């Protein structure tokens, strides 16, 4: 009998666990409940452009990681990195979070009007100086809201106020409020002429394409508070992003205020558009680089995912929603383990998530929750898997709702069906009363049901899932009879055997 097939595909918990770490925790929790005979588990961490994206892609492509010092989001020097992949090592990959991520900003110093993406530009410059001709930038988990201005300054772009004075370097999103014009005269020489389109370098951004730069749905309004902005600062940053969009229009030839992806990573997407970058939806890029769709095409029974917060934004360009939609389309049940449950989280049910739960098990501070995330996630995975198994066992125990009640009938009236223990000794059908059909085990019986009579897609999925639970062998010569007329079951003996009719219907290992 086939074991349960479980995919673990988390996108990580911001500032706490990277996708790889989250996947290990979830598997550890599940394995406390079911062993390898009962469940096949595969871990596929989903690196969506945020923390860990560079290292994951380098590992997948057998590339090389290079470390360099850069300016962090709080303008202090940090050690960051970028990677090179491909046979000629001419493709660079980086995640902006390694130079300007929220994790790098001390919690008591978070002011998105001041944090800068300058270090991201330094990583790009280092890749250009190393001879790279293609640069892949992962956008996610940012700690900045400067519209990519800091990144562009590191690449030689100058930003001028209405008097022609140059705006201060790496001064954060608040300084953009004084922006009037953009000057590309001193742009890094290897970037070519972005105005003429003569570009020897290609830049690709992996980002949440749903994020826009300006307006009520703009990056400052939606994500500013997550980065520590007060309402007053949110309004200031919104006006600053409006200024950036207006100043960039003569340079790029269009209004990017609502261009898909322009608001990614605190507006870094907008800065990349100034460089002529191609902004790609996360899902498409992850499919190409990590073959996600190929993984999801496997007939999984359950898919576990995880993220820091679940709310109405979770299915708008984020990988949690993308995984849920794709997995559900393949017939899998999707369970999300999350740090916090936010506003309108129930909306995710319509996008493929079957169930979700918080990993928190008691009142706890945010700092403590982040520090204890690994243990909390592991225990949450264990609790959730136990609940899943309870549901499956109840579904089989309650014969009024048992899938066996949909058995194929013999003759004009519903007839009882015999299901024996796996090690039971069977007699031929002629040894039993009319209409009792011997079946080797519940799994093969459910498989026969799926084949013999039509079911809805949901019914077939449930039959297949339930069939993978193991059956406790009954003593030799003992059989369990399911009576479809009375919806009851009882043990019986074969004519040539005698044994105690004991034994449970189901045995879930370790449960």
């Amino acid at each position: 009998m086939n074991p349960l097939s479980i995919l673990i595909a988390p996108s990580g918990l911001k500032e706490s666990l990277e996708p790889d770490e989250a996947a290990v925790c979830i598997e550890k929790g599940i394995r406390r409940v079911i062993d390898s005979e009962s469940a096949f588990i595969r871990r596929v961490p989903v690196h969506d452009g945020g923390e860990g994206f560079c290292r994951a892609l380098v590992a997948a492509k057998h590339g090389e990681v290079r470390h360099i010092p850069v300016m962090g989001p709080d303008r202090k020097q940090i050690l960051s990195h970028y990677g090179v992949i491909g046979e000629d090592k001419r493709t660079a990959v980086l995640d902006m979070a390694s130079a300007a991520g929220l994790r790098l900003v001390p919690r008591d110093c978070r002011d998105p009007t001041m944090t800068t993406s300058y270090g991201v530009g330094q990583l790009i410059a280092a890749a250009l100086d190393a001879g790279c001709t293609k640069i892949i930038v992962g956008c996610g988990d940012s700690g900045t809201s400067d519209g990519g201005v800091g990144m562009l300054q590191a690449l030689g772009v100058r930003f001028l106020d209405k008097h022609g004075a140059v705006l201060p370097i790496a001064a954060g999103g608040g300084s953009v409020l004084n922006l009037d014009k953009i000057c590309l005269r001193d742009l890094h020489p290897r970037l070519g002429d972005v105005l003429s389109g003569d570009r020897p370098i290609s830049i690709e951004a992996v980002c949440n394409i749903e994020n826009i730069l300006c307006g009520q749905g703009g990056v400052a309004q939606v994500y500013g508070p997550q980065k520590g902005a007060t309402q007053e600062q949110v309004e200031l940053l919104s006006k600053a992003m409006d200024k950036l969009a207006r100043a960039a229009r003569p340079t790029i030839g269009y209004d990017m205020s609502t261009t898909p992806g322009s608001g990614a990573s605190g507006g870094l997407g907008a800065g990349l558009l100034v460089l002529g970058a191609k902004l790609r939806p996360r899902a498409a890029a992850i499919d190409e680089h990590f073959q996600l769709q190929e993984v999801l095409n496997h007939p999984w029974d359950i898919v576990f995912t995880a993220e820091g917060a679940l709310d109405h934004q979770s299915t708008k360009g984020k990988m949690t929603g993308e995984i849920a939609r794709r997995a559900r389309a393949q017939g899998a049940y999707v369970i999300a383990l999350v740090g916090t449950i936010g506003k309108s989280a129930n909306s995710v049910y319509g996008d493929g998530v079957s169930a979700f739960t918080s990993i928190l098990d008691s009142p706890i501070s945010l700092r403590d929750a982040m520090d204890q995330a690994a243990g909390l996630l592991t225990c949450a995975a264990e609790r959730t898997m136990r609940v899943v198994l309870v549901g499956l066992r109840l579904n089989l125990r309650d014969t009024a709702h048992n899938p066996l009640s949909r058995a194929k009938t013999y003759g004009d009236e519903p007839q009882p069906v015999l299901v024996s223990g796996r090690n039971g000794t069977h007699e031929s059908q002629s040894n039993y009363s009319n209409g009792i059909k011997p079946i080797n085990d519940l799994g093969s019986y459910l498989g026969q049901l799926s084949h013999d009579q039509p079911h809805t897609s949901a019914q077939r999925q449930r039959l297949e899932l339930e069939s993978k639970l193991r059956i406790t062998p009954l003593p030799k010569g003992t059989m369990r009879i399911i009576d479809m007329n009375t919806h009851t079951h009882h043990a019986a003996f074969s004519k040539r055997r005698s044994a105690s009719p004991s034994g449970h219907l189901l045995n879930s290992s370790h449960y």
Side-chain angles (χ1 to χ4, degrees), residues 157-229:
V157 178
R158 292 189 297 161
F159 295 85
L160 312 175
D161 64 18
K162 63 181 180 180
H163 303 295
V166 178
L167 297 185
I169 299 295
S175 68
V176 183
L177 193 62
N178 299 316
L179 176 62
D180 185 59
K181 293 181 180 179
I182 297 176
C183 177
L184 302 178
R185 184 187 310 163
D186 298 324
L187 182 65
H188 193 289
R190 291 208 61 228
L191 286 174
D193 188 348
V194 298
L195 295 178
S196 68
D198 179 18
R199 299 188 50 76
I201 307 297
S202 66
I203 301 176
E204 170 189 307
V206 178
C207 65
N208 185 345
I209 209 72
E210 299 287 334
N211 291 343
I212 59 174
L213 187 64
C214 304
Q216 281 301 112
V219 61
Q221 295 285 344
V222 176
Y223 295 103
Q226 294 181 12
K227 300 172 184 179

Side-chain angles (χ1 to χ4, degrees), residues 350-368:
D351 286 293
V353 176
S354 305
F356 61 82
T357 185
S358 171
I359 67 173
L360 301 180
D361 55 11
S362 65
I364 191 173
S365 70
L366 178 60
R367 182 72 267 164
D368 287 343

Side-chain angles (χ1 to χ4, degrees), residues 3-7 298-303 331-334 461 464-465 468:
L4 282 170
S5 186
I6 299 175
L7 174 66
H298 179 87
W300 303 104
D301 296 313
I302 303 173
V303 175
Y333 294 93
V334 181
Q461 291 161 9
E464 291 167 1
L465 189 58
K468 292 173 182 175

Side-chain angles (χ1 to χ4, degrees), residues 206-411:
V206 178
C207 65
N208 185 345
I209 209 72
E210 299 287 334
N211 291 343
I212 59 174
L213 187 64
C214 304
Q216 281 301 112
V219 61
Q221 295 285 344
V222 176
Y223 295 103
Q226 294 181 12
K227 300 172 184 179
T230 64
Q231 187 55 45
E232 182 180 354
Q233 289 174 325
V234 166
E235 296 304 322
L236 184 153
L237 289 170
S238 293
K239 293 176 181 177
M241 295 304 102
D242 289 340
K243 285 285 190 75
L244 176 60
R246 284 197 294 270
R249 185 165 187 168
T251 300
I252 63 177
Y254 61 91
D255 181 4
M256 66 177 178
S257 59
T258 58
T259 298
S262 59
S265 287
L268 188 78
L272 291 168
L273 286 173
V274 172
L275 297 177
K278 177 183 179 181
L279 307 187
R280 296 190 66 191
R282 284 171 169 168
I286 300 308
D287 276 343
E288 176 185 341
H289 298 309
F290 297 102
Q291 292 75 51
L292 178 62
Q293 186 58 53
E294 182 178 327
V295 172
L296 290 173
N297 284 340
H298 179 87
W300 303 104
D301 296 313
I302 303 173
V303 175
F304 280 89
T305 187
E307 68 169 296
L310 190 76
D311 55 28
H312 64 289
Q313 292 287 332
S314 296
T315 56
K316 293 179 171 57
K318 293 188 176 182
M319 288 308 297
T320 295
E322 189 67 29
I323 290 169
R325 281 188 290 271
R326 295 191 190 192
R328 198 72 189 95
Q330 297 294 327
Y333 294 93
V334 181
I335 299 174
L337 304 177
V338 302
T340 58
I341 299 172
K343 182 180 179 181
S344 302
N346 285 357
S347 63
V348 302
Y349 291 136
D351 286 293
V353 176
S354 305
F356 61 82
T357 185
S358 171
I359 67 173
L360 301 180
D361 55 11
S362 65
I364 191 173
S365 70
L366 178 60
R367 182 72 267 164
D368 287 343
M370 293 169 65
D371 291 341
Q372 301 170 29
L376 291 170
L377 182 57
T378 299
C379 291
E382 177 187 353
R383 292 194 303 270
T384 302
M385 197 65 216
R386 289 185 182 277
V387 171
V388 168
L389 292 182
V390 165
L392 290 172
R393 297 175 86 186
L394 286 173
N395 195 38
L396 289 175
R397 188 186 69 180
D398 183 0
T399 55
H401 301 286
N402 197 306
L404 295 176
S405 65
R406 295 191 292 272
K408 183 176 180 179
T409 60
Y410 298 87

Side-chain angles (χ1 to χ4, degrees), residues 94-172:
L94 62 100
D95 48 79
M96 73 87 62
S98 69
L102 188 60
R103 193 197 288 232
L104 300 175
V105 186
R107 184 162 291 277
D108 57 353
C109 300
R110 292 186 175 174
D111 182 350
T113 67
M114 299 294 292
T115 49
T116 179
S117 60
Y118 193 89
V120 181
Q122 290 177 297
L123 290 177
I124 294 174
L128 292 172
D129 293 341
C132 293
T133 56
K134 180 178 181 179
I135 299 174
I136 302 172
V137 182
C139 298
D141 301 327
S142 67
T144 58
S145 294
D146 68 350
V149 167
M151 173 197 69
L152 292 171
Q153 288 175 324
L155 292 168
V157 178
R158 292 189 297 161
F159 295 85
L160 312 175
D161 64 18
K162 63 181 180 180
H163 303 295
V166 178
L167 297 185
I169 299 295

Side-chain angles (χ1 to χ4, degrees), residues 425-427 432 476-479 492-498:
T425 301
H426 303 291
E427 306 292 342
Y432 304 102
K476 280 191 174 183
T478 306
M479 309 156 209
F493 305 109
S494 70
K495 292 182 177 180
R496 294 181 293 181
R497 298 283 190 270
S498 62

